[in-house]
Structure formats: C-alpha cells, structure tokens
Amino acid sequence: MLTLSATRPLALLAAAAILAVDVVHGAYPLTTDSNCGCYRTNATTSNYFAHHQFFDFRSLSQYVNVPKPIDSFDQNAQAPPTSSFFTSSPWTNTWSIQNWNNTALLGLNNSDVNDATVKMVNTPNNIYIERSTDPNANGQTYLTMRTIRHPTFQSASEIESSSQGYQFLSVRMYARTKGAAGAVTAMFTYRPPPTPLNISGVQEADLEIRTRDPPTYVQYTNQPSWNSTADIPQATRNVTLPGGRRWSDWAYYRMDWTPGSTSWYVNGVFHSTITFQAPRDPAQVMFNAWSDGGSWSGDMPINNEASMQIQWIEMVYNNTDPGAIKTGKCVNICTIDETTKLGQPALITGGTPVVTPPAPGGCAAVAKYGQCAGKTYTGCKTCAAGSTCRYQNDYYSQCL
C-alpha cells in the first residue's frame, strides 16, 4: 500500500523564526497529522504550512512491473497504467499521469516559443514501480519515470498534481537520475501563462538535472528565466552538488517556495536561493523525465533512455482550493524535519498558538513577504504589523 499522510484541508500560516538547517533527527515526540494544526520548516528562516503529504514507494513489491517500450507514437498516448497502484485512490487523489504530446508546438515553427526538433509524447507506459537491486538498499522498490528515444520520436513521462492551488510549499524527494545524455529530469511547480504563446507569463520554480551536463551539476531556476540576457544570472543557477556527489547517486532534494523566493537544499544542506522572478500565484506540483531534441535537453541518441528513480516524495504546503484556507491560529505546531521517523510528523508545541491577527474587514492580515495587491489578486490587502504593501508590478504587490 502507498503510505500517505494528509491533513484535513487547511491553508497558509506565515511566520518567521531563526533555526538551524539539519537533516531529519529527533528532538520532539512523534504525533499524527490529525493532531497538527500547522508545520514549521527548519530553514534559516522558517515558514509555516498547513498541509502534509508523504508518498512512500519503497515497499510496493506487489506492483513491480517494468514494461517494454512501445514503438508507436499513438499507442504510447493510449497506454494503460502499468499497475493498479496508479489507479488506487491514494495516488489518484493527488496525482495525474499525463499523455499529452508536443505536435501542436512543433507545428507553430516558432523557436521563441519552443525549439524542439523531435516529436515527444508522454505515456503512462514510462511510469512504473521497479524492484531495487542496489546493495544494502533501504527499500525494496522505487518509482521510475523514464524517457526513451525511439527511431522517429521521444517518449517521456510526467505526473502533475490534480490541484492547481498550491501556493507556497516545501517539497522533497529522495531520488537519483541515470541514463543517456540528452534528457531532463525535474521536480517543479508550474502555473501556465495566460495564453499558450505568452510564455513570459509562466510562473515556475524548478529543480532540474540535465544528463548532458557534468555528472555533478544540478539546475535551479525561477521562470520566466529572463526578459533579457542580463537577467539570466539572476534567474538560473547551475550548481555543483556538495560533497562531490553525482546525480546518479541517491540524494535528498528539497525545494522551498516561499513568498518572494525559492530555495534549494541537497542532503539537508542549503544550496541556493533565487528571489528574481519567484512565483507568486497558485500552481501545480510536477515531476517529469523528457527530451525533445531542443537546446535545453539536447538530442538523445536513438535507442537510448534515461530515468529518474524516486524512493519517496514529501510535501508541506498551503493550498487555495475551496475549503482549504485557514486563517487565525495554529495551536499544535509540528515538524517533518526534526522527527525520528520519515514521513511522520513530530509535535513541537501544543500550548502556544501562532496567531494571525485579523485585518479590517475580517480577513487575516498578510504576513511579511506575502502578496497584498495586484490585478488578479482577490485576497486580503492589509499587511501584518511592521510591514507595508509595496508595489512590484501591475500583478503583484508585496508586504515588506
């Protein structure tokens, strides 16, 4: 069975406190999600989130199935799930396996929108549970997402959250990437542009591995990456993994999207922060493995493949879906960082509430660094004490 921990629908509580960054350890007693009002992360500046989910792929031997590649473009899109695991409610309640293709983008013949040179199709056939053969493995199985270069096209894999309402989160995975040059594997948030051709309107925070890069490199990006060449260094980081690690090694990857910035960690160590072009509005969470022959992925040699293998995914997050917003106080503060058991929260405090003061008109005051105005913004426009709503652009003002 899939291990899934999920809170009742709640939402954003924002606050800040100075803490040390650390990998999972035990400082507080274990508890359950039903006893947690919010979750505090252990970043340099901590943030509070309302929901928790944990997806464990390490003990799913009954679902093991490594399917053969399908050499038909159309049949890849029509392929069924590789096991009943991917039709079970713990999976489908949160994730959706994609089967879209890029033929419409190729038909535009517009390299400013997409410079792919190879037809690509996402397929359920490339997402499956695989048995671990690693020496001293800490699990029996893992989730595999692969991409394959066929003679006339590329098959890929992508999972998307069913919800498009994530607004600020800390998402983590224990994963590795293996295979041929010419692929990209990624964990990211994504909000599409207002219209398909208006790519400058996309909002995205990425952790990406390109198999064409040196084996110690990882890419961190806020998108849109730039409006001019001068913006590139502000929006993108091409960073060497710490400790001489390679992306083919198992590693604990973490991405924190918070108001005004995105930060990345590897094996519990802070790695990078980008404030430029940080996403603002509700988005989906996605994972993928792909190649399209374009300038970003490169062109994978025919009959080669690459894959991202994931042992587990964990998230604490806020969500703007109907019924998911909580304002006011959080009495029971929990942590997924300072716990003795992966995937199970620990209780930091159950006595002292974290209070979001009500603003005039009955809405909860926006915490410092949160959004407070903008053309499409419908939330509270009063900032918490000590901060003022300051204009950034027509679509975004921020409490600073």
Side-chain angles (χ1 to χ4, degrees), residues 113-128:
V113 176
N114 185 277
D115 68 353
T117 61
V118 176
K119 283 200 308 180
M120 184 191 79
V121 58
N122 286 288
T123 175
N125 196 59
N126 281 348
I127 299 175
Y128 50 89

Side-chain angles (χ1 to χ4, degrees), residues 11 43 73 85 89 105 107 110 133-134 137 142 218 227 271 283-284 309 342 346 363 368 377 394:
F73 186 86
F85 171 76
S89 57
L105 285 173
N110 185 343
T133 59
D134 296 341
Y142 46 76
V218 62
N227 295 312
H271 214 195
Q284 290 176 282
Q309 300 166 345
L342 177 67
C363 63
K368 189 175 182 181
Y377 180 69
D394 289 345

Side-chain angles (χ1 to χ4, degrees), residues 170-181:
S170 178
V171 58
R172 301 98 180 275
M173 66 175 177
Y174 193 63
R176 66 184 177 189
T177 294
K178 305 185 78 172

Side-chain angles (χ1 to χ4, degrees), residues 335-347:
T335 174
I336 63 169
D337 297 310
E338 297 168 273
T339 177
T340 57
K341 185 177 181 181
L342 177 67
Q344 183 173 348
L347 184 64

